[in-house]
């Protein structure tokens, strides 16, 4: 250990201590004494001018001073705590004689308060003191003589100034050795001059050595901080491990008996306590595994007690030289352990936002001195890194916990999301009527005449008709559980409920069948599209993306764009992964990832923002007649546009159906508008404002013109098989347009057509019930073939 900038012991290595010492061999004492005064002064200046090690330099200065002045002993003090309240001079080397080696000279540090005694006085005034009889001078402290048994007779004490004339230390020569062999000779005026001249050079040399030492110190400190930063960023997974590493570094750097880190509880419910205390002793193992690091997560104690409590609450650093003299110190902490606390350096640890997350406390420096500014300076830098490291690690631990919680929540959710076995078995036993029974090939299909069970059966029928269960080896029970689970995961909201999803799926089914799209799409795409339609609004809350953002819902925090659509897809995956509902369970890896990719794109495509982004590209390839339906890009575009066409297909339905659905949509919009008014305190847009309900016809015309008409026109251009969608949309537009002027009068012809459609639906339904026996027979056949 060597001295630091303040003149106190620090951590520079022994090799560095002597590295800078002059390489020039010193002349013998006899040779030096033979020189005249000018030559001697020159020789002694040369002797010190290359030494950049403060301690070795001080030793040389004192040896030279005792030679130069014929003094028996010399001492040197350096200024510490410059400009602060604690400003003092601290002995560097004490009572050095001309022949004493450096090792023999090292003494306990003596601190002389500013202005006190002879040394303190010289430091304060910057004036030399030549005292012929020390015992007659009131400033002389006899204690030292009493302690050492040495008798001080006379003293020559001089300030050491730097190049700017500032006091940087004090040197003192004691007891002039008389040339006449008598003991009564004091230091002369001539000695004062010689001492003054020599100290002028010494001051410059000392300042240079101090600066050099400071730069070494700074270098070493930076190196240590870099090491610490590396350690901190290596260890991000566990707070205890990280703190152990930090404390090992801190203890070895600052050489103290104990190093403690106390973490503040950040859980709101238990705030106001230290939640974890880590204690590392100088003799504890550096190995994390076999370490004596004691961490007591269960020993929570209040924040407002003792030194650590004071620092945690006030955020102020405390540097206490004698703990027992400080009222805030609680001596009980030593009682049980037998440990004697002497000095304490205690600092708050802050995170990146400046909040106090803990406290670091160092106790008792190994060399018995109090903690100095230098220690404080180093610890401060350490603490910044520690704060970052602890904060990051805590965040990481929290994230790991949150992930674990999330997977538990998912497990629970998945359990409750699945349809109950009784329902699955009940459905499994039911007959599934034909496509004709439900009129599933009809663009004019409406679900209103069917109950929930029938919609489920119609859903199954569509998948059976497309041969998807057989193609992908989907077990019938698995499929029943899956479709029931999908239905169960739609909320009972006004419009975005199971019925809407079911109708969208039916439109997709007609488009595929009537448009003979199985010639373009493979089975995987058909499967993905049908699943996408049925799942595309899963867990919809009856409020749109804008509402999620405005209400800062957790969903919006998770996904900033296509918020709900991402959530619908997540829910879809959750059901697909639920035990017993894995309809993709028999797909090979390649098929599975392709189907999932198409499924995700299709669900996301129901965000109208994406429809607007991609539709012009679609219209261009349709109009150019250059569509390449064998390429993934064009097929992807086609699938996305089909999702929109199916999603808004209520607009193509017979007028009565359209009116009913438009009212459901409008009511759900108004419910959102109410929430916006009363919860978010914002004014809803006209479409969601129930006060503007009379404007529904105008809004429907706008909706048709801006969104629906362009997509159905494009499909009608693509293939006339899709024209009924456009016709239905056009007819509804006409009706809404007419309604803008007043209540609609339906023409006789329109009424006849509407009634005919209704009758045919009703009669198919009835036929379905009278033909139940037949269906039952068929289902038995299917069941027995499955069992086989
Ligand atoms: N103003 C109207 N908006 C409608 C109508 N039908 C549907 N929509 C809106 O279109 C999107 C479809 O996306 P979804 O996946 O959420 O169903 C959505 O914003 C609907 O509210 C209508 O007749 N009028
Ligand atoms: Zn939808």
């Amino acid at each position: 250990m060597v001295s630091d900038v303040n003149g106190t012991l620090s951590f520079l290595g022994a090799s560095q201590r002597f590295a800078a010492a002059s390489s020039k061999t010193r002349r013998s004492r006899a040779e030096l004494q033979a020189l005249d005064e000018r030559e001697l002064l020159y020789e002694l200046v040369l002797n010190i001018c290359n030494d950049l090690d403060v301690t070795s330099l001080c030793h040389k200065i004192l040896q030279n001073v005792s030679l130069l002045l014929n003094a028996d002993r010399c001492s040197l003090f350096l200024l510490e705590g410059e400009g602060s309240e604690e400003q003092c001079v601290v002995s560097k080397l004490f009572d050095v004689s001309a022949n004493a080696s450096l090792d023999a000279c090292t003494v306990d540090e003596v601190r002389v308060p500013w202005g006190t005694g002879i040394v303190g006085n010289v430091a304060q005034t910057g004036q030399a003191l030549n005292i012929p009889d020390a015992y007659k001078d009131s400033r002389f402290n006899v204690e030292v003589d009493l302690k050492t048994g040495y008798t001080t007779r006379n003293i020559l004490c001089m300030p050491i100034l730097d190049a700017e004339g500032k006091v940087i230390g004090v040197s003192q020569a004691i007891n002039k050795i008389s040339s006449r062999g008598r003991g009564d000779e004091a230091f002369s005026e001539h000695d004062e001059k010689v001492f003054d001249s020599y100290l002028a050079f010494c001051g410059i040399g000392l300042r240079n050595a101090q600066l050099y030492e400071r730069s070494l110190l700074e270098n070493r400190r930076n190196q240590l901080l870099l090491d610490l930063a590396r350690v901190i960023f290596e260890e991000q997974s566990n707070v205890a491990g990280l703190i152990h590493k930090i404390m090992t570094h801190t203890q070895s750097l600052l050489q103290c008996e104990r190093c403690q880190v106390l973490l503040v509880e950040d859980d709101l419910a238990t705030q106001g306590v230290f939640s974890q205390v880590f204690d590392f002793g100088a003799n504890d193992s550096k190995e994390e595994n076999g370490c004596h690091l004691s961490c007591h997560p269960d020993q929570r104690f209040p924040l407002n007690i003792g030194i650590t409590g004071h620092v945690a609450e006030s955020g102020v650093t405390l540097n206490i030289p004698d703990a027992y003299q400080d009222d805030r110190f609680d001596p009980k902490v030593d009682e049980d352990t037998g440990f004697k606390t002497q000095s304490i350096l205690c600092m708050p640890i802050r995170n990146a936002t400046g909040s106090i997350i803990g406290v670091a406390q160092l106790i008792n420096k190994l060399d018995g001195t109090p903690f100095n500014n230098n220690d404080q300076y180093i610890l401060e830098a350490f603490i910044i890194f520690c704060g970052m490291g602890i904060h990051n690690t805590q965040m990481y631990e929290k994230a790991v916990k949150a992930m674990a919680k999330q997977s538990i929540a998912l497990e629970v959710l998945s359990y409750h999301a699945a349809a109950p076995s009784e329902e699955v078995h009940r459905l499994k036993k039911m007959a599934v009527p034909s496509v004709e029974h439900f009129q599933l090939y009809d663009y004019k299909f409406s679900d209103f005449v069917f109950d929930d069970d029938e919609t489920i059966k119609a859903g199954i029928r569509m998948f059976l008709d497309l041969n998807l269960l057989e193609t992908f080896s989907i077990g019938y029970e698995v499929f029943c559980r899956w479709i029931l689970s999908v239905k169960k995961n739609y909320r009972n909201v006004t419009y975005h409920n199971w019925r809407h999803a079911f109708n969208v799926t039916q439109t997709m089914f007609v488009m595929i069948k009537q448009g003979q799209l199985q010639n373009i799409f493979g089975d995987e795409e058909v499967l993905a599209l049908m699943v996408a339609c049925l799942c595309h609004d899963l867990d919809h809350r009856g409020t749109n993306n804008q509402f999620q953002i405005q209400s800062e819902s957790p969903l919006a925090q998770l996904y900033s764009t296509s918020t709900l659509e991402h959530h619908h897809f997540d829910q879809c995956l959750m059901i697909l992964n639920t035990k017993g509902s894995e309809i993709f369970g028999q797909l090979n890896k390649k098929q599975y990832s392709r189907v999932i990719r198409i499924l995700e794109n299709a669900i996301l495509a129901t965000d109208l923002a994406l429809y607007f982004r991609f539709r012009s590209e679609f219209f261009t390839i349709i109009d150019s007649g250059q569509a390449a339906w064998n390429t993934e890009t064009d097929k992807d575009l086609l699938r996305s546009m089909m999702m929109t066409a199916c999603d808004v297909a209520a607009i193509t339905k017979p007028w009565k159906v359209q009116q009913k659905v438009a009212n459901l949509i409008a009511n759900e919009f108004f419910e959102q508008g109410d929430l916006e008014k009363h919860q978010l305190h914002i004014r809803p847009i006209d479409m969601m404002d129930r006060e503007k309900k009379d404007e529904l016809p105008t809004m429907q015309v706008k909706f048709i013109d801006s969104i629906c008409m362009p997509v159905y026109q494009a499909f009608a251009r693509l293939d006339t098989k899709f024209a009924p969608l456009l016709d239905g949309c056009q007819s509804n537009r006409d009706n809404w347009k007419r309604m803008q002027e007043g209540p609609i009068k339906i023409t006789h012809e329109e009424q006849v057509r509407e009634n005919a459609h209704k009758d045919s639906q009703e009669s198919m339904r009835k036929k379905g019930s009278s033909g139940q026996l037949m269906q039952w027979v068929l289902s038995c056949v299917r069941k027995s073939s499955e069992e086989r």
Side-chain angles (χ1 to χ4, degrees):
M1 304 294 289
V2 291
S3 321
D4 64 20
V5 285
N6 289 319
T8 49
L9 288 175
S10 185
F11 50 77
L12 287 180
S15 56
Q16 287 158 309
R17 192 196 303 184
F18 298 104
S22 165
S23 55
K24 194 175 185 296
T25 331
R26 191 186 162 104
R27 293 191 202 211
S28 72
R29 191 179 169 88
E31 280 174 324
L32 289 170
Q33 278 171 339
L35 298 173
D36 71 29
E37 199 173 87
R38 251 183 91 244
E39 284 172 337
L40 178 63
L41 198 64
Y42 176 69
E43 189 68 25
L44 296 185
V45 167
L46 267 191
N47 174 245
I48 60 159
C49 69
N50 285 327
D51 200 334
L52 286 171
D53 178 83
V54 173
T55 307
S56 128
L57 179 61
C58 289
H59 177 241
K60 279 182 191 167
I61 290 172
L62 293 180
Q63 279 189 318
N64 293 345
V65 168
S66 69
L67 201 76
L68 204 56
L69 301 181
N70 256 330
D72 186 38
R73 293 183 175 191
C74 295
S75 305
L76 197 147
F77 300 77
L78 289 175
L79 176 65
E80 200 175 280
E82 192 179 345
S84 72
E85 270 180 31
E86 290 92 45
Q87 181 167 254
C88 61
V89 277
V90 181
S91 65
K92 202 49 214 164
L93 290 174
F94 204 64
D95 282 352
V96 177
S97 62
N99 300 318
S101 70
L102 177 57
D103 289 339
C105 296
T106 313
V107 289
D108 284 348
E109 191 179 77
V110 177
R111 301 181 150 257
V112 182
W114 202 243
T116 307
I118 294 167
V119 171
N121 197 278
V122 170
Q124 189 182 43
T125 60
Q127 300 296 320
L129 282 178
N130 188 351
I131 300 166
D133 188 344
Y135 280 81
K136 286 195 181 143
D137 194 300
S138 60
R139 292 165 297 196
F140 177 66
N141 180 1
V142 291
E143 292 286 316
V144 183
D145 275 7
L146 288 174
K147 224 172 166 183
T148 57
Y150 183 80
T151 308
T152 305
R153 284 181 284 106
N154 42 54
I155 298 172
L156 177 55
C157 190
M158 286 239 161
I160 306 172
L161 310 176
D162 65 7
E164 284 151 25
K166 272 203 326 209
V167 175
I168 59 167
V170 169
S171 179
Q172 149 175 284
I174 297 168
N175 292 355
K176 173 88 180 176
I177 302 170
S178 164
S179 50
R180 298 181 296 273
R182 287 170 32 203
D184 56 352
E185 198 176 331
F187 292 103
S188 63
E189 261 183 52
H190 180 70
D191 288 333
E192 285 177 36
K193 278 190 192 136
V194 173
F195 199 9
D196 187 48
S197 317
Y198 186 57
L199 285 186
F201 292 105
C202 295
I204 295 165
L206 268 172
R207 182 48 106 205
N208 288 343
Q210 281 179 331
L211 290 174
Y212 176 71
E213 201 158 83
R214 182 176 290 174
S215 75
L216 284 182
L217 207 66
E218 200 65 34
N219 240 340
R220 178 99 177 97
R221 192 178 76 96
N222 290 342
Q223 192 55 49
L224 283 159
L225 288 175
L226 275 177
D227 282 353
L228 184 66
R230 185 180 45 77
V231 163
I232 285 172
F233 293 110
E234 260 173 22
E235 179 62 270
Q236 295 263 324
S237 57
N238 155 307
V239 171
L242 172 77
I243 291 180
H244 174 258
K245 286 188 177 164
I246 291 172
M247 297 207 299
T248 316
H249 265 68
T250 314
Q251 193 281 326
S252 95
L253 179 64
L254 292 172
Q255 295 286 299
C256 53
E257 280 183 33
R258 279 170 79 178
C259 173
Q260 297 176 331
V261 170
L262 299 90
L263 296 185
V264 174
E265 176 67 67
D266 67 344
D267 185 342
L268 274 181
T270 42
Q271 259 175 0
V273 293
F274 285 118
S275 59
Q276 282 176 290
V277 179
F278 300 88
D279 192 351
F280 184 77
N283 299 323
D284 287 349
S285 162
K286 303 263 185 289
E287 292 300 315
E288 204 181 322
N289 295 337
C291 78
H292 296 261
L293 174 75
S294 46
C295 157
H296 316 285
D298 298 329
Q299 290 178 2
R300 291 158 194 266
F301 57 89
L303 271 187
N304 56 352
I305 289 180
I307 305 286
T308 49
H310 180 86
V311 171
E313 286 210 320
S314 65
V316 170
T317 294
L318 290 181
N319 187 352
I320 300 168
D322 185 352
Y324 281 82
Q325 299 300 316
D326 195 299
D327 291 344
R328 293 164 296 200
F329 177 68
D330 177 8
K332 280 201 210 100
V333 295
D334 281 352
E335 273 165 21
D336 297 340
T337 57
F339 182 85
K340 176 84 181 7
T341 304
Q342 179 71 38
S343 54
I344 294 177
L345 177 56
C346 188
M347 239 177 236
I349 305 173
R350 295 174 190 272
N351 64 14
T353 59
S355 310
I356 295 175
I357 56 171
V359 161
Q361 175 165 259
L362 306 186
I363 303 172
N364 297 357
K365 279 189 76 172
L366 289 180
D367 65 8
T369 61
F371 292 97
N372 58 34
N373 289 345
N374 201 57
D375 299 323
Q376 202 166 315
Y377 177 55
I378 291 169
L379 188 61
E380 256 162 28
F382 244 68
I383 292 252
I384 293 171
F385 280 94
C386 296
M388 275 162 39
I390 293 171
H391 181 71
N392 286 354
T393 311
Q394 282 178 334
M395 287 295 133
Y396 178 81
E397 283 186 347
K398 272 189 187 162
V400 169
K401 268 195 192 148
M403 270 155 66
K405 272 189 188 167
Q406 198 195 14
S407 74
I408 294 167
L410 210 70
E411 225 175 80
V412 175
L413 182 75
S414 170
Y415 174 80
H416 291 285
S421 306
E422 315 80 71
E423 255 188 70
V424 177
H425 291 122
R426 194 177 70 89
L427 175 64
K428 215 177 124 186
K429 284 190 202 133
M430 285 182 186
V432 177
S434 65
V435 168
E436 290 73 26
H437 164 83
F438 293 113
Q439 300 192 349
L440 290 167
Y441 289 146
D442 192 347
Y443 278 115
K444 291 196 172 89
F445 172 87
S446 157
D447 67 299
F448 289 144
V449 288
F450 301 119
D451 65 18
D452 275 3
D453 270 356
E454 284 170 313
T455 58
I456 288 278
K457 284 186 262 176
I460 297 177
R461 174 50 64 207
M462 290 188 270
F463 277 75
L464 287 173
D465 193 70
L466 290 164
N467 212 23
L468 294 173
L469 272 68
E470 201 177 308
T471 309
F472 294 102
S473 312
I474 305 171
Y476 191 64
E477 184 175 321
V478 169
F479 191 78
C480 288
R481 185 171 295 103
W482 174 77
I483 198 164
L484 283 170
S485 304
V486 170
K487 177 174 174 290
K488 189 171 179 227
N489 282 276
Y490 274 95
R491 299 192 185 197
N492 195 16
V493 291
T494 311
Y495 170 70
H496 284 98
N497 49 38
W498 159 254
R499 293 293 176 134
H500 164 63
F502 169 69
N503 284 311
V504 172
T505 313
Q506 189 273 335
T507 312
M508 180 60 77
F509 178 70
V510 201
M511 286 186 82
I512 292 171
K513 282 288 180 180
Q514 303 284 18
Q516 292 165 342
L517 291 179
Q518 275 172 303
N519 294 332
I520 292 180
F521 297 134
D523 290 330
E524 288 161 16
E525 286 155 290
V526 172
L527 174 68
L529 282 171
M530 292 294 287
V531 172
C533 287
L534 219 46
C535 297
H536 85 281
D537 274 334
L538 268 173
D539 196 46
H540 200 292
R541 291 102 197 271
T543 48
N544 65 8
N545 281 338
Q546 186 64 16
F547 184 86
Q548 309 310 316
I549 292 162
Q550 280 173 333
S551 61
E552 292 170 4
S553 77
L555 280 183
Q557 281 161 26
L558 199 56
Y559 301 111
S560 56
T561 58
S562 301
T563 305
L564 282 167
E565 290 73 17
H566 277 112
H567 177 60
H568 305 320
F569 173 64
D570 285 347
Q571 294 299 105
C572 169
L573 280 188
M574 186 269 292
I575 297 172
L576 285 171
N577 290 326
T578 299
K579 200 163 174 290
S581 303
E582 304 105 320
I583 56 167
F584 295 167
Q586 299 306 311
L587 271 63
N588 64 37
K589 230 172 140 190
K590 202 169 151 214
Q591 281 177 319
Y592 181 83
S593 53
R594 179 152 190 259
V595 170
I596 292 290
R597 186 185 59 76
I598 298 171
L599 177 62
E600 181 176 14
N601 285 351
I603 293 182
L604 293 183
T606 60
D607 180 359
L608 287 180
L610 297 191
Y611 160 69
F612 280 115
R613 197 180 309 159
F614 298 122
R615 71 177 186 178
S616 55
E617 203 181 327
F618 180 66
F619 300 157
T620 310
I621 61 168
I622 297 293
D623 292 342
S624 67
Q626 304 276 298
W629 300 129
N630 54 350
T631 65
E632 253 331 290
T633 336
D634 286 6
K635 279 203 293 181
D636 197 21
L637 199 52
L638 175 61
R639 289 191 300 261
S640 298
M641 293 300 131
M642 283 174 73
M643 289 303 292
T644 306
C646 297
D647 203 8
V648 297
I651 209 75
T652 67
K653 298 289 171 179
W655 175 237
K656 282 265 154 23
V657 177
Q658 157 59 186
Q659 267 183 307
K660 264 191 181 179
V661 177
N663 277 319
L664 292 175
I665 296 170
N667 280 324
E668 192 177 284
F669 284 162
F670 297 152
E671 285 152 22
Q672 176 175 328
D674 295 344
L675 288 176
E676 289 177 350
K677 276 185 213 165
H678 303 122
Q679 273 183 15
L680 305 184
H681 307 290
I682 53 174
R683 220 183 106 193
I685 55 168
D686 289 356
M687 193 171 74
M688 299 198 173
D689 190 348
R690 60 174 76 248
E691 318 228 317
K692 309 263 168 63
K693 63 177 190 307
D694 295 341
E695 291 172 32
L696 181 62
T698 311
M699 284 188 265
Q700 286 302 84
V701 172
K702 267 194 206 155
F703 174 67
I704 291 170
D705 290 348
S706 59
I707 292 166
C708 313
M709 205 57 106
V711 76
Y712 295 125
Q713 281 165 345
F715 274 103
R717 285 201 298 278
L718 174 65
D719 196 318
T720 49
K721 305 252 176 44
F722 300 120
L725 291 168
L726 178 62
D727 298 341
C729 181
Q730 181 62 58
S731 154
N732 287 326
R733 187 189 186 281
D734 296 342
N735 287 332
W736 286 119
K737 191 84 192 145
R738 272 187 277 156
M739 262 187 97
Q740 280 181 295
E741 275 103 51
I744 275 193
K745 289 184 202 76
I746 296 184
T747 61
H748 177 68
E749 206 179 291
E750 278 166 342
Q751 189 61 60
V752 169
R753 243 189 292 134
E754 191 116 324
N755 289 345
H757 177 71
K758 227 163 141 192
D759 289 349
S760 110
Q761 265 204 318
E762 194 55 29
S763 86
M764 283 313 282
R765 212 170 67 83
K766 283 204 187 114
K767 245 200 248 163
S769 21
S770 63
Q772 266 181 13
L773 186 62
M774 187 59 196
Q775 291 301 333
W776 181 77
V777 173
L778 282 174
S779 86
C780 290
V781 171
R782 193 189 54 245
K783 207 171 145 213
S784 75
S785 77
E786 257 181 25
E787 277 163 4
R788 261 184 276 123

